[in-house]
Amino acid sequence: MSRILANGIKNCNIPTNRCYGTKSQKIIAVRREDQSVWERRAPLSPANVKRLVSKENVKVIVQPSNRRAYPMQAYLNAGAIVQEDISEASVIFGVKQVPADQLIPSKTYCMFSHTIKAQESNMPLLDTILEKNIRLIDYEKLMDASGQRVVAFGKYAGVAGMVNILHGIGLRLLALGHHTPFMHIGPAHNYRNSSMARQAIRDAGYEIALGLMPKSIGPLTFVFSGSGNVSQGAQEVFQELPCEYVPPEMLRKVAEHGSPNKIYGCQVRRRHHLERKVGGGFDPQEYDEHPERYISTFSKNIAPYASVIINGIYWAVDSPKLLTIPDAKHLLRPANTPWLPTSIGAPALPHRMLAICDISADPGGSIEFMNECTTIDTPFCLYDADRNKDTKSFKGPGVLVCSIDNMPTQLPTESTDFFGDLVFPFIMNILQSDAERPLDQHKFMPEVHGAIIASNGKLTPNFEYIQDLRQQSNRSRHKSDFENDQLKKVLVLGAGYVSTPLVEYLHREKNCAITVASALKEQSDEIAHKFPGVESLYVNVLDNEDSLSELIATNDVVVSLLPYNLHAGIAKICIENKTHLVTASYTNDDVRSLHESAVDAGITILNEVGLDPGIDHLLAMECIHEVQKSGGKIESFVSYCGGLPAPEFSDNPLRYKFSWSPRGALLNTISAARYLSKGQIVEINGGGDLMSSTRDLDFLPGFNLEGFPNRDSTAYANLYGIKDALTVLRGTLRYKGYSENIKVLQFLGLIDPNPHPILHPKGPDITWRVLICNLLGLEDTNIFYENLKSLITERTNSDNAVECLESLGLLEECGVVKMGTPLDTLTHFLSTKLKLEPHERDLVILRHDVGIRWPDNKREIRGINLVVYGDVNGYSAMAKTVGYPTAIATKMILDGEIQERGIVHPFTSEIYRPMLSRLKLEGLNSSETSKFF
C-alpha cells in the first residue's frame, strides 16, 4: 500500500496498521534537535528504530530534519513514520534541551535537560515542565546500583575532544613559533568518521617518532583526569601516538627530561589528588557522601608538570575543583628550562601548560576559569590568567582552552549508534509511562525511576534539592557562587579624591552595582552624578553601627577609604556579615588580630593595595621573586616613595601641597622609625628626631629630592622573604628643604598632637602671630614685629625660619580656626593654604634600590622607578596610584581571582602579577636601571 507522508516523501513499504497504530500499540517520537546548528545526533539510530518497529511492535514517529546525520530515508527504511506532528506519542525522545514553548503538556520527555545542578539558564525549562505536567527523564541520571551512568555519549565526547585538542595544539604551537606534526590534524567534524581521524593522528605520530618535534619545546605530557567513558575515549585516540604512560609521581621527571620522540600520558584517578582536609588520606565512600571534607592537590602535584590536561570528570557542587583561578596564575608563570636548546628562531615555551580540553564542559566547575563553553564554530579560546580574560586567538599569553559542550555531535553517526544501543534496553520500560498517572502507579526499573526529575507537576523526592540550590544561588554573594551575569555589589566607604578613579574603574563592569557612602553627602553625590547607576548615601560610621551593618550585609565587597584607625571596627562588621573588605592602608595590630575570625567567616580582608603601601609591594615582590628564582640573593633593599606637587607648583617653604588632609603627613614627621643598615638596627625616636635623619637622593638628578625613614622597615625582611639582607629601609620622599622647614614647625610646637589651652574651640579669638608668641613662651604678645622675627631666628637657630613662617602666613594678624591641638589647627590651616588647586598637578615618585649578589659573585644594584604625573583638571597622581590598584584588587576578589581568606597582603605572584599588568593598562608603568660591580 502506498501513502504520502506529511513531509511529502512517498513511502510504499510501510503496512497500514504500522502507520496508524492500534489502541494497544505503544507510540514514541524522536524529536528534531534545535539547540545548535551543529547538532546532528539523534537519540536512536535507524537500527534501533527497526528493532522497535519489527520486534516490539512500537510505532516510531520521527520529526523531519535535513540536519540530522542519518537521512530521513534511513528512518523510513527502518519502519518509522516521518512527520512534523509528534503529539500522538506518549514518550518523546531527544538529545538536548527542548525549547520551553515547544513542550507538549502531559507527555514524558527523555533528554539531557541540564537542570540537575540548578543551572540558571535552564530553570525556565524546568519551570515549564512542572507547569505543563511533564514527566522528565534525564539520561544523565540513568545509573546502575553502584551509581555509574549507564547511558551517555561520553566515549565519543572523549574521542572528539582528543582530536580537537590535538588540532588546537598544532595551531597554538605554530603561533608560538613552532611547526609540528600536529598541524596535519584537523578538527573532529572534518572527518567522515573517527577511523579517518585516527589515521591522521597515526601519521602525525609517525613524524613525532622520527624526531620531527622541535627540541626547544621539550617533552610533552598529557594528563587525563578520571577513568570513565570520556577519559577512555580520549585515551583510545591518544594511544594512536607514540606514547608512554607514567604514574603521577613520575610526571615531573619525564616533563623535564623525557624524550621528544614520544608523548607521555598519565591517568589521574581520585585517589591521586584528593585528600582529607584534616588528617589526609582518601576514602572513596566518604568522599562520595561528604566531598566538602576533601581538598584537591592536583594544582600543586600534577598540573605543574602537564603540557595538556584532558578533563573528563563529573564535578558536583561542593566538590573540590581541579584548578581554580588563582591556580592558573601560578601555573602560567614563565618556565625555567635552561637545559632546553633554545634560540631566537627556536624559542622555549612561555610556560609548560599549553592546553586544556575540558570535555566535561561545566562552566565554573572543576576548571574554575572555564566560565563559558566554546563552540564548534569557535572551538578554542586563549585564557590569560594575569588578566583573567580569554580571547578568541592562538597568539598571545595564556593557555589554550577547548570546552565544547556538544563534542559528540562532531562524530554524529557513531555517537548516535553508540548512544542508541545504550538507551535501547530501557525503552520498553520507559514506554509504560503515562504522565497523567501518579508515579507510584508505574513499575519502572530502578535505573529509570532514579532518572525521573519531575512528575505530576513537581520535582521527585530525589531532586527536590534543585529548589534549594536555586534559593542558595539567589542568596549567594561570594564570587565562587556567582554566575557570569549575576550582579556584584560594592560598597565604597569614603568619597575623597581617591574614590573617583576607584569608582570609575569598577563602573566599567555592567554587572557591578556601586554604592558610595560618606559623612560628606555632597562628595558622594558628586561621584554618583558622574557615573550613572552609582548610588550615594549618607553614612557616618561612628554614629550608627546597626545601620552600617545592614548596609554592609547587602554587599559583596566593602572598600574602606576611611582613616586607618576605623578599619578594625569596619572589619569586625564585615566578618559578622561575611562580606569581603579591601583597604589601601597599613595593617595595624587590631586588624591583624582578626585573621582567624576572617578565615572562619570565609572572607578576605585585603590590605595595603594603594600606593605606599601597595604598588611599592607589588614592584618589590616582582623583583625579589625574579632574582630568587634565578639563583640570586638580595643583600639590600632601600625604597622611597612620596606624593609631591609637580615642580612648577612646589613654590612654598615645604615644597609640598595637599590633595587630602595634611594631618597624616604632618604626624608622620614626629613618628619613630626603625630600619636595618649594614646588619645593624637603627632606631629613631619619635617626637621630631626623624627630620634630622634625612638624606639627599640623586637617583633622578632632575629632581631635588631628600628622604627619611618611614615606620618600622625591619619587619619587611620577613614579609618580603629577604631575611639575609643586611640593609632594609623604606622611606618617604620630599623635595629638598622640606625637613629643614618642618623642623621649624616642630620647634615651635605646631605639630604637637596634644591639646593646648589657647586652642580650645570655645576660648578667646587669637591670631596666628599671637599663637606663635604663645608657643614661644612670650608673655607680651604685642612684641615689636622685627624683634619677634629676630627672636624666632635666634630660638630656632635657622636663617630660613622667619621666611618659612611668613610665606606660610603663620606670622600674620589673621584669625586662627582653633581645633584643640596645634597639629589639628595647623592641619586645618594648611589644608586650605597649601591645597592643590584644580589647575595644578601633582607627582608621585617611587624608587626601589635592590642590591643583588648573583651565583657568580657579581653584584648588581637594580633601580626600579615609578613616576606618575596628575592630570590638570583630572585625576591627581595620588588618586590614580591609590584608587586604581585598590579598584583592581576589589575586582579580583569579585571575580574569584583572590580566594585566600583571612588577613591578606599583595605579596604573592598570584596577586601582584595581574595587578601590575592591569596597572600598566591604566598608564602606570615602572622602569628599571641596572649597574653591575
Side-chain angles (χ1 to χ4, degrees):
M1 183 177 184
S2 171
R3 71 184 279 256
I4 304 297
L5 302 180
N7 64 349
I9 298 176
K10 185 174 182 179
N11 182 1
C12 304
N13 302 315
I14 304 176
T16 303
N17 65 334
R18 281 258 169 87
C19 291
Y20 296 98
T22 64
K23 288 185 178 180
S24 61
Q25 190 179 25
K26 300 292 184 181
I27 305 174
I28 69 169
V30 175
R31 74 174 305 276
R32 175 176 54 249
E33 298 299 321
D34 40 26
Q35 276 289 308
S36 164
V37 297
W38 287 94
E39 189 52 79
R40 297 175 290 160
R41 292 172 293 176
L44 300 173
S45 68
N48 301 137
V49 169
K50 185 174 183 179
R51 287 176 62 189
L52 288 170
V53 171
S54 62
K55 296 186 177 180
E56 304 293 346
N57 192 33
V58 174
K59 178 179 177 180
V60 180
I61 302 173
V62 178
Q63 272 191 324
S65 173
N66 283 341
R67 184 179 291 136
R68 197 180 286 123
Y70 274 116
M72 288 181 286
Q73 189 62 49
Y75 285 99
L76 286 168
N77 294 343
I81 296 173
V82 177
Q83 65 182 38
E84 188 65 31
D85 184 8
I86 59 173
S87 60
E88 186 183 359
S90 60
V91 180
I92 299 171
F93 288 85
V95 177
K96 304 293 279 185
Q97 308 97 301
V98 179
D101 61 349
Q102 295 184 28
L103 290 168
I104 304 173
S106 301
K107 300 291 183 183
T108 296
Y109 276 84
C110 299
M111 66 174 111
F112 287 105
S113 69
H114 299 292
T115 59
I116 62 174
K117 296 180 187 176
Q119 290 96 319
E120 188 174 348
S121 60
N122 292 321
M123 289 302 95
L125 169 63
L126 183 60
D127 290 339
T128 305
I129 285 171
L130 297 174
E131 180 185 331
K132 291 187 175 182
N133 193 42
I134 288 169
R135 180 167 292 149
L136 171 62
I137 298 176
D138 196 307
Y139 301 126
E140 193 169 353
K141 299 305 289 185
L142 280 167
M143 296 179 174
D144 60 21
S146 65
Q148 297 298 311
R149 291 178 61 183
V150 293
V151 173
F153 285 101
K155 176 182 177 180
Y156 280 92
V159 170
M162 193 68 207
V163 175
N164 288 334
I165 202 64
L166 292 175
H167 164 64
I169 289 170
L171 296 173
R172 174 59 174 156
L173 286 171
L174 185 65
L176 292 172
H178 310 280
H179 170 79
T180 66
F182 296 116
M183 279 299 297
H184 304 302
I185 301 173
H189 59 265
N190 274 21
Y191 300 102
R192 187 179 299 276
N193 53 48
S194 62
S195 296
M196 294 180 65
R198 289 171 188 257
Q199 184 57 53
I201 293 167
R202 281 194 291 271
D203 292 343
Y206 178 71
E207 293 184 349
I208 292 171
L210 290 177
L212 298 185
M213 285 292 290
K215 300 298 183 290
S216 62
I217 290 176
L220 294 182
T221 54
F222 282 64
V223 170
F224 299 87
S225 64
S227 56
N229 290 329
V230 170
S231 180
Q232 291 173 16
Q235 290 183 68
E236 284 183 15
V237 175
F238 173 74
Q239 289 162 12
E240 302 292 350
L241 296 167
C243 62
E244 178 182 347
Y245 276 83
V246 296
E249 58 269 21
M250 281 188 61
L251 261 179
R252 178 171 184 173
K253 184 176 181 179
V254 299
E256 293 178 349
H257 305 295
S259 168
N261 296 353
K262 64 173 73 170
I263 310 296
Y264 293 92
C266 178
Q267 184 175 359
V268 176
R269 298 173 182 265
R270 297 191 300 180
R271 67 177 184 271
H272 293 132
H273 69 98
L274 293 171
E275 62 180 46
R276 291 186 189 90
K277 293 177 181 177
V278 180
F282 175 72
D283 182 330
Q285 182 176 347
E286 179 189 43
Y287 176 76
D288 289 338
E289 296 172 358
H290 298 284
E292 72 281 359
R293 296 178 182 174
Y294 284 77
I295 60 171
S296 172
T297 62
F298 186 88
S299 65
K300 294 179 176 61
N301 298 338
I302 296 170
Y305 314 111
S307 306
V308 182
I309 295 174
I310 310 297
N311 182 39
I313 62 171
Y314 171 81
W315 183 78
V317 177
D318 294 331
S319 299
K321 296 180 185 294
L322 279 184
L323 296 176
T324 64
I325 295 172
D327 289 337
K329 298 183 191 305
H330 177 72
L331 293 169
L332 299 185
R333 294 173 63 182
N336 183 27
T337 53
W339 55 84
L340 293 177
T342 62
S343 65
I344 295 176
L349 297 178
H351 36 72
R352 189 182 308 281
M353 187 175 292
L354 280 171
I356 297 174
C357 186
D358 188 10
I359 304 175
S360 65
D362 192 358
S366 54
I367 308 293
E368 186 180 33
F369 50 85
M370 197 289 287
N371 53 29
E372 184 179 6
C373 292
T374 57
T375 65
I376 297 175
D377 296 288
T378 311
F380 304 103
C381 69
L382 202 58
Y383 175 73
D384 181 348
D386 280 349
R387 294 173 57 230
N388 192 32
K389 293 185 180 296
D390 53 61
T391 56
K392 308 301 182 185
S393 172
F394 290 95
K395 187 176 182 180
V399 61
L400 193 72
V401 177
C402 178
S403 57
I404 302 169
D405 64 356
N406 57 344
M407 286 187 188
T409 198
Q410 293 180 279
L411 300 168
T413 56
E414 291 170 279
S415 295
T416 297
D417 291 343
F418 180 76
F419 185 84
D421 289 345
L422 291 176
V423 79
F424 191 88
F426 304 100
I427 290 179
M428 295 310 297
N429 186 254
I430 292 172
L431 273 176
Q432 67 172 292
S433 178
D434 181 349
E436 295 183 338
R437 289 169 49 210
L439 190 58
D440 58 11
Q441 294 183 13
H442 295 74
K443 295 182 179 180
F444 288 119
M445 301 165 62
E447 295 89 341
V448 175
H449 189 276
I452 300 175
I453 308 293
S455 182
N456 307 105
K458 59 184 180 182
L459 295 170
T460 56
N462 287 344
F463 297 95
E464 289 174 349
Y465 72 85
I466 294 176
Q467 188 59 35
D468 295 334
L469 287 180
R470 294 178 74 174
Q471 293 174 355
Q472 290 173 17
S473 177
N474 291 335
R475 291 196 302 265
S476 172
R477 301 192 322 275
H478 295 304
K479 174 61 180 78
S480 57
D481 301 315
F482 284 161
E483 294 293 336
N484 289 333
D485 56 354
Q486 186 170 340
L487 199 64
K488 306 165 189 178
K489 297 182 179 180
V490 178
L491 171 64
V492 180
L493 296 177
Y497 289 98
V498 170
S499 303
T500 306
L502 179 140
V503 171
E504 180 263 317
Y505 186 94
L506 295 174
H507 189 257
R508 300 173 193 175
E509 294 294 318
K510 295 181 180 178
N511 63 342
C512 188
I514 306 165
T515 301
V516 181
S518 174
L520 300 174
K521 183 71 161 45
E522 63 277 8
Q523 290 186 355
S524 58
D525 286 344
E526 184 179 350
I527 294 175
H529 181 72
K530 292 179 181 177
F531 305 105
V534 172
E535 184 179 359
S536 169
L537 292 177
Y538 168 81
V539 170
N540 188 326
V541 298
L542 299 175
D543 282 353
N544 193 329
E545 187 174 305
D546 291 339
S547 297
L548 179 62
S549 180
E550 291 176 7
L551 182 59
I552 287 175
T554 62
N555 284 273
D556 304 304
V557 180
V558 172
V559 182
S560 178
L561 299 174
L562 300 175
Y564 74 93
N565 58 307
L566 299 176
H567 289 157
I570 294 168
K572 290 177 182 177
I573 300 174
C574 287
I575 289 171
E576 291 170 3
N577 292 284
K578 298 185 177 181
T579 300
H580 303 299
L581 173 65
V582 178
T583 83
S585 302
Y586 283 105
T587 305
N588 59 34
D589 290 340
D590 291 336
V591 172
R592 193 175 290 109
S593 68
L594 300 174
H595 175 71
E596 293 300 331
S597 298
V599 171
D600 293 342
I603 70 165
T604 298
I605 298 179
L606 179 59
N607 299 300
E608 305 188 18
V609 287
L611 168 63
D612 177 5
I615 296 177
D616 57 345
H617 294 330
L618 311 182
L619 293 172
M621 298 312 301
E622 180 184 49
C623 175
I624 290 168
H625 286 168
E626 184 269 320
V627 169
Q628 292 173 338
K629 185 177 179 181
S630 300
K633 179 181 176 182
I634 305 297
E635 292 190 322
S636 65
F637 178 86
V638 177
S639 172
Y640 286 97
C641 183
L644 305 165
E648 65 269 31
F649 302 113
S650 62
D651 52 346
N652 66 72
L654 298 184
R655 284 75 162 158
Y656 200 73
K657 288 194 175 181
F658 302 94
S659 56
W660 66 98
S661 172
R663 192 178 196 277
L666 293 174
L667 190 60
N668 187 43
T669 66
I670 58 172
S671 298
R674 193 167 184 257
Y675 62 95
L676 187 66
S677 177
K678 299 179 180 179
Q680 300 295 316
I681 291 179
V682 179
E683 302 267 5
I684 300 174
N685 296 324
D689 289 356
L690 191 62
M691 293 297 95
S692 299
S693 303
T694 58
R695 63 180 68 175
D696 294 344
L697 303 173
D698 60 357
F699 55 84
L700 292 174
F703 295 101
N704 196 16
L705 299 172
E706 65 181 23
F708 50 88
N710 183 22
R711 301 178 183 245
D712 184 1
S713 300
T714 62
Y716 288 88
N718 287 329
L719 291 172
Y720 285 177
I722 52 174
K723 296 180 182 179
D724 296 329
L726 298 177
T727 298
V728 179
L729 186 152
R730 297 175 81 251
T732 300
L733 276 177
R734 294 290 183 259
Y735 288 127
K736 194 174 295 184
Y738 175 86
S739 61
E740 283 302 314
N741 287 316
I742 284 290
K743 282 194 285 187
V744 172
L745 302 181
Q746 289 177 347
F747 178 84
L748 293 173
L750 285 168
I751 307 183
D752 185 353
N754 299 304
H756 195 292
I758 199 174
L759 293 173
H760 193 284
K762 294 184 178 180
D765 293 339
I766 60 172
T767 66
W768 277 104
R769 187 179 298 180
V770 169
L771 176 59
I772 295 298
C773 289
N774 186 278
L775 294 174
L776 285 170
L778 301 178
E779 294 182 4
D780 183 9
T781 58
N782 291 321
I783 185 173
F784 188 58
Y785 186 55
E786 293 301 322
N787 289 338
L788 175 61
K789 291 195 293 183
S790 298
L791 184 61
I792 291 172
T793 301
E794 179 185 338
R795 292 276 187 92
T796 61
N797 195 28
S798 170
D799 295 333
N800 298 321
V802 171
E803 182 182 352
C804 168
L805 295 174
E806 284 184 329
S807 297
L808 290 175
L810 297 179
L811 292 179
E812 294 180 3
E813 293 283 11
C814 60
V816 174
V817 178
K818 303 185 299 298
M819 305 298 292
T821 72
L823 172 64
D824 291 317
T825 301
L826 183 64
T827 293
H828 182 271
F829 177 73
L830 293 183
S831 65
T832 302
K833 182 70 175 180
L834 299 185
K835 179 183 178 182
L836 189 74
E837 299 296 339
H839 68 278
E840 298 177 333
R841 60 177 183 160
D842 66 336
L843 167 70
V844 162
I845 299 176
L846 169 63
R847 169 73 173 197
H848 293 328
D849 280 304
V850 187
I852 306 165
R853 181 189 287 273
W854 292 104
D856 60 2
N857 277 328
K858 284 186 179 179
R859 280 189 168 92
E860 176 189 359
I861 297 295
R862 185 176 301 181
I864 303 171
N865 295 324
L866 175 74
V867 180
V868 179
Y869 282 92
D871 303 318
V872 176
N873 296 316
Y875 296 148
S876 68
M878 186 61 68
K880 289 190 286 188
T881 54
V882 175
Y884 282 141
T886 306
I888 290 167
T890 301
K891 189 171 185 305
M892 288 177 69
I893 291 178
L894 286 173
D895 291 348
E897 294 182 76
I898 298 174
Q899 297 182 8
E900 184 180 353
R901 301 309 183 217
I903 308 301
V904 179
H905 299 96
F907 296 159
T908 63
S909 63
E910 292 80 10
I911 298 178
Y912 69 68
R913 286 185 65 213
M915 285 191 68
L916 286 172
S917 173
R918 293 168 208 184
L919 286 170
K920 289 178 181 177
L921 298 176
E922 304 305 320
L924 304 182
N925 297 290
S926 63
S927 60
E928 288 190 0
T929 61
S930 184
K931 292 182 181 179
F932 283 88
F933 302 92

PDB file of all heavy atoms in Angstrom, residues 172-185:
ATOM      1  N   ARG A 172      48.296  26.334  18.182  1.00  0.00           N
ATOM      2  CA  ARG A 172      48.897  27.120  19.271  1.00  0.00           C
ATOM      3  C   ARG A 172      50.422  27.116  19.181  1.00  0.00           C
ATOM      4  O   ARG A 172      51.071  28.160  19.325  1.00  0.00           O
ATOM      5  CB  ARG A 172      48.444  26.553  20.618  1.00  0.00           C
ATOM      6  CG  ARG A 172      49.112  27.184  21.849  1.00  0.00           C
ATOM      7  CD  ARG A 172      48.873  28.668  21.925  1.00  0.00           C
ATOM      8  NE  ARG A 172      49.379  29.246  23.174  1.00  0.00           N
ATOM      9  CZ  ARG A 172      49.716  30.509  23.338  1.00  0.00           C
ATOM     10  NH1 ARG A 172      49.598  31.366  22.328  1.00  0.00           N
ATOM     11  NH2 ARG A 172      50.161  30.959  24.500  1.00  0.00           N
ATOM     12  N   LEU A 173      50.998  25.952  18.930  1.00  0.00           N
ATOM     13  CA  LEU A 173      52.449  25.876  18.811  1.00  0.00           C
ATOM     14  C   LEU A 173      52.947  26.676  17.611  1.00  0.00           C
ATOM     15  O   LEU A 173      54.010  27.294  17.663  1.00  0.00           O
ATOM     16  CB  LEU A 173      52.897  24.412  18.714  1.00  0.00           C
ATOM     17  CG  LEU A 173      52.827  23.618  20.019  1.00  0.00           C
ATOM     18  CD1 LEU A 173      53.087  22.132  19.767  1.00  0.00           C
ATOM     19  CD2 LEU A 173      53.818  24.168  21.042  1.00  0.00           C
ATOM     20  N   LEU A 174      52.173  26.689  16.542  1.00  0.00           N
ATOM     21  CA  LEU A 174      52.556  27.492  15.384  1.00  0.00           C
ATOM     22  C   LEU A 174      52.581  28.977  15.759  1.00  0.00           C
ATOM     23  O   LEU A 174      53.502  29.711  15.375  1.00  0.00           O
ATOM     24  CB  LEU A 174      51.589  27.254  14.222  1.00  0.00           C
ATOM     25  CG  LEU A 174      51.954  27.950  12.901  1.00  0.00           C
ATOM     26  CD1 LEU A 174      53.252  27.388  12.330  1.00  0.00           C
ATOM     27  CD2 LEU A 174      50.826  27.813  11.892  1.00  0.00           C
ATOM     28  N   ALA A 175      51.583  29.417  16.517  1.00  0.00           N
ATOM     29  CA  ALA A 175      51.541  30.816  16.953  1.00  0.00           C
ATOM     30  C   ALA A 175      52.724  31.143  17.853  1.00  0.00           C
ATOM     31  O   ALA A 175      53.168  32.303  17.908  1.00  0.00           O
ATOM     32  CB  ALA A 175      50.230  31.102  17.678  1.00  0.00           C
ATOM     33  N   LEU A 176      53.252  30.141  18.558  1.00  0.00           N
ATOM     34  CA  LEU A 176      54.404  30.341  19.436  1.00  0.00           C
ATOM     35  C   LEU A 176      55.737  30.175  18.701  1.00  0.00           C
ATOM     36  O   LEU A 176      56.800  30.248  19.312  1.00  0.00           O
ATOM     37  CB  LEU A 176      54.339  29.359  20.611  1.00  0.00           C
ATOM     38  CG  LEU A 176      53.203  29.595  21.610  1.00  0.00           C
ATOM     39  CD1 LEU A 176      53.128  28.453  22.618  1.00  0.00           C
ATOM     40  CD2 LEU A 176      53.369  30.930  22.328  1.00  0.00           C
ATOM     41  N   GLY A 177      55.649  29.902  17.390  1.00  0.00           N
ATOM     42  CA  GLY A 177      56.866  29.849  16.592  1.00  0.00           C
ATOM     43  C   GLY A 177      57.338  28.464  16.220  1.00  0.00           C
ATOM     44  O   GLY A 177      58.493  28.294  15.818  1.00  0.00           O
ATOM     45  N   HIS A 178      56.456  27.452  16.308  1.00  0.00           N
ATOM     46  CA  HIS A 178      56.889  26.072  16.065  1.00  0.00           C
ATOM     47  C   HIS A 178      55.935  25.363  15.094  1.00  0.00           C
ATOM     48  O   HIS A 178      54.735  25.246  15.373  1.00  0.00           O
ATOM     49  CB  HIS A 178      56.909  25.279  17.375  1.00  0.00           C
ATOM     50  CG  HIS A 178      57.651  25.959  18.489  1.00  0.00           C
ATOM     51  ND1 HIS A 178      59.014  25.945  18.590  1.00  0.00           N
ATOM     52  CD2 HIS A 178      57.199  26.688  19.547  1.00  0.00           C
ATOM     53  CE1 HIS A 178      59.384  26.614  19.679  1.00  0.00           C
ATOM     54  NE2 HIS A 178      58.304  27.086  20.261  1.00  0.00           N
ATOM     55  N   HIS A 179      56.479  24.882  13.995  1.00  0.00           N
ATOM     56  CA  HIS A 179      55.716  23.969  13.138  1.00  0.00           C
ATOM     57  C   HIS A 179      55.900  22.558  13.695  1.00  0.00           C
ATOM     58  O   HIS A 179      57.016  22.120  13.982  1.00  0.00           O
ATOM     59  CB  HIS A 179      56.213  24.010  11.694  1.00  0.00           C
ATOM     60  CG  HIS A 179      55.618  22.936  10.842  1.00  0.00           C
ATOM     61  ND1 HIS A 179      54.355  23.024  10.318  1.00  0.00           N
ATOM     62  CD2 HIS A 179      56.114  21.719  10.465  1.00  0.00           C
ATOM     63  CE1 HIS A 179      54.086  21.922   9.631  1.00  0.00           C
ATOM     64  NE2 HIS A 179      55.135  21.113   9.706  1.00  0.00           N
ATOM     65  N   THR A 180      54.805  21.841  13.854  1.00  0.00           N
ATOM     66  CA  THR A 180      54.856  20.487  14.425  1.00  0.00           C
ATOM     67  C   THR A 180      53.983  19.547  13.610  1.00  0.00           C
ATOM     68  O   THR A 180      53.129  19.982  12.822  1.00  0.00           O
ATOM     69  CB  THR A 180      54.349  20.491  15.881  1.00  0.00           C
ATOM     70  OG1 THR A 180      52.950  20.832  15.879  1.00  0.00           O
ATOM     71  CG2 THR A 180      55.120  21.495  16.738  1.00  0.00           C
ATOM     72  N   PRO A 181      54.147  18.237  13.807  1.00  0.00           N
ATOM     73  CA  PRO A 181      53.276  17.275  13.120  1.00  0.00           C
ATOM     74  C   PRO A 181      51.800  17.442  13.450  1.00  0.00           C
ATOM     75  O   PRO A 181      50.943  16.981  12.684  1.00  0.00           O
ATOM     76  CB  PRO A 181      53.806  15.920  13.621  1.00  0.00           C
ATOM     77  CG  PRO A 181      55.242  16.173  13.945  1.00  0.00           C
ATOM     78  CD  PRO A 181      55.271  17.564  14.497  1.00  0.00           C
ATOM     79  N   PHE A 182      51.478  18.096  14.555  1.00  0.00           N
ATOM     80  CA  PHE A 182      50.072  18.287  14.922  1.00  0.00           C
ATOM     81  C   PHE A 182      49.342  19.176  13.922  1.00  0.00           C
ATOM     82  O   PHE A 182      48.110  19.195  13.895  1.00  0.00           O
ATOM     83  CB  PHE A 182      49.966  18.900  16.322  1.00  0.00           C
ATOM     84  CG  PHE A 182      50.504  18.024  17.419  1.00  0.00           C
ATOM     85  CD1 PHE A 182      51.606  18.422  18.169  1.00  0.00           C
ATOM     86  CD2 PHE A 182      49.929  16.796  17.702  1.00  0.00           C
ATOM     87  CE1 PHE A 182      52.109  17.625  19.173  1.00  0.00           C
ATOM     88  CE2 PHE A 182      50.424  15.979  18.715  1.00  0.00           C
ATOM     89  CZ  PHE A 182      51.514  16.391  19.454  1.00  0.00           C
ATOM     90  N   MET A 183      50.088  19.930  13.111  1.00  0.00           N
ATOM     91  CA  MET A 183      49.458  20.801  12.130  1.00  0.00           C
ATOM     92  C   MET A 183      48.659  20.028  11.091  1.00  0.00           C
ATOM     93  O   MET A 183      47.801  20.590  10.410  1.00  0.00           O
ATOM     94  CB  MET A 183      50.515  21.656  11.427  1.00  0.00           C
ATOM     95  CG  MET A 183      50.960  22.885  12.198  1.00  0.00           C
ATOM     96  SD  MET A 183      49.618  24.054  12.513  1.00  0.00           S
ATOM     97  CE  MET A 183      49.172  24.520  10.850  1.00  0.00           C
ATOM     98  N   HIS A 184      48.922  18.756  10.967  1.00  0.00           N
ATOM     99  CA  HIS A 184      48.235  17.948   9.951  1.00  0.00           C
ATOM    100  C   HIS A 184      47.004  17.252  10.493  1.00  0.00           C
ATOM    101  O   HIS A 184      46.398  16.424   9.814  1.00  0.00           O
ATOM    102  CB  HIS A 184      49.207  16.916   9.372  1.00  0.00           C
ATOM    103  CG  HIS A 184      50.455  17.532   8.813  1.00  0.00           C
ATOM    104  ND1 HIS A 184      50.437  18.476   7.820  1.00  0.00           N
ATOM    105  CD2 HIS A 184      51.775  17.361   9.135  1.00  0.00           C
ATOM    106  CE1 HIS A 184      51.673  18.846   7.537  1.00  0.00           C
ATOM    107  NE2 HIS A 184      52.500  18.196   8.328  1.00  0.00           N
ATOM    108  N   ILE A 185      46.613  17.583  11.711  1.00  0.00           N
ATOM    109  CA  ILE A 185      45.401  17.028  12.315  1.00  0.00           C
ATOM    110  C   ILE A 185      44.319  18.102  12.277  1.00  0.00           C
ATOM    111  O   ILE A 185      44.543  19.234  12.696  1.00  0.00           O
ATOM    112  CB  ILE A 185      45.652  16.584  13.768  1.00  0.00           C
ATOM    113  CG1 ILE A 185      46.756  15.520  13.808  1.00  0.00           C
ATOM    114  CG2 ILE A 185      44.376  16.046  14.395  1.00  0.00           C
ATOM    115  CD1 ILE A 185      47.192  15.151  15.216  1.00  0.00           C
TER     116      ILE A 185
END
